[in-house]
Every structure is written in C-alpha cells, then in structure tokens.
Amino acid sequence: MATRVPAPEELCAGELERKLRDLCEHVELKKEEVRSNFQQFHCLLAMRETFLLEEMDDIVTTAIQEIKEKKETLRELNTARDGLERDLTKNKLNEFLEKNLRQLEDEKGKN
C-alpha cells in the first residue's frame, strides 16, 4: 500500500523545518555531485586534448619524415636523370660523329 504523504498544513512547524533542512542538504549534495562531475568532465576533456595533440604531433612528425625521404628520393632521381641526359647527349654526339666520319670516309673513298 502507498504511504499517504500529509499535506503541509497538516504538519507542524518542526516537521516542516526538518523536511526543509533535509531538502536543502539533498540539494547541496546534488550541487557537490554536479561540481565533481563537471571537474571530472574537464579533466577528461584536458586528457583527450592532450592525447589528440600527441597524436597530431606523431602524425606531423611522421609526415615530415616522409617528406624528407621523398625529397631525398627526388634528389636521387634528378641526379640519375641528369646522368642519363648526359649519357644520351654523349651517345647522340657519338652517333653524329660516327655518321660524319663514315661520310668523310665514303667521300675519301670516292676520291
């Protein structure tokens, strides 16, 4: 069975004061609980922010290292390309000289 709660006018002043005091204590406890939860929330938020900053730092550091490695690879490829271009130029020059030498030998043989 449900317990009947008396109406305020049925209670004496002492009981009303006690109930009011109990209610105020309950409110204060809830306020402290909310403050504590709020502080915990801010601590967790700060921890999350620190974690994210560390993660971002790791990502940026890794990206910088990859960029440095790619720059070095690009430098090596450019050096290799320059060498190949020199070799190609030498080969073309050699072919040109050989062709001219054959022409001169052909002309010399005709004379």
Side-chain angles (χ1 to χ4, degrees):
M1 280 175 81
T3 305
R4 181 180 165 286
V5 177
E9 60 272 0
E10 296 174 353
L11 299 173
C12 68
E15 288 180 66
L16 286 174
E17 285 177 16
R18 185 184 54 77
K19 288 191 180 283
L20 182 59
R21 207 173 25 255
D22 289 347
L23 184 60
C24 288
E25 286 176 14
H26 181 72
V27 167
E28 285 301 315
L29 288 173
K30 287 298 178 185
K31 282 169 56 176
E32 283 302 314
E33 185 179 328
V34 168
R35 277 190 206 106
S36 175
N37 288 344
F38 192 69
Q39 288 172 344
Q40 288 177 357
F41 170 75
H42 276 285
C43 287
L44 290 172
L45 194 59
M47 289 170 55
R48 178 177 171 262
E49 186 175 315
T50 300
F51 173 76
L52 289 175
L53 289 173
E54 289 172 357
E55 280 291 309
M56 288 177 67
D57 186 51
D58 290 346
I59 291 169
V60 169
T61 301
T62 301
I64 288 171
Q65 185 59 36
E66 288 175 1
I67 289 169
K68 287 179 180 177
E69 290 169 3
K70 288 178 181 179
K71 280 176 71 175
E72 182 59 31
T73 301
L74 184 59
R75 204 174 290 123
E76 290 169 1
L77 288 171
N78 282 337
T79 301
R81 184 201 62 213
D82 293 345
L84 289 173
E85 286 176 348
R86 280 191 300 275
D87 291 347
L88 182 60
T89 302
K90 285 179 188 176
N91 285 343
K92 286 183 179 182
L93 182 60
N94 283 341
E95 288 173 6
F96 175 76
L97 291 174
E98 286 174 6
K99 181 179 171 187
N100 284 342
L101 183 60
R102 278 194 301 273
Q103 285 176 347
L104 286 173
E105 288 173 351
D106 289 345
E107 288 177 11
K108 193 177 190 184
K110 290 181 186 176
N111 291 336

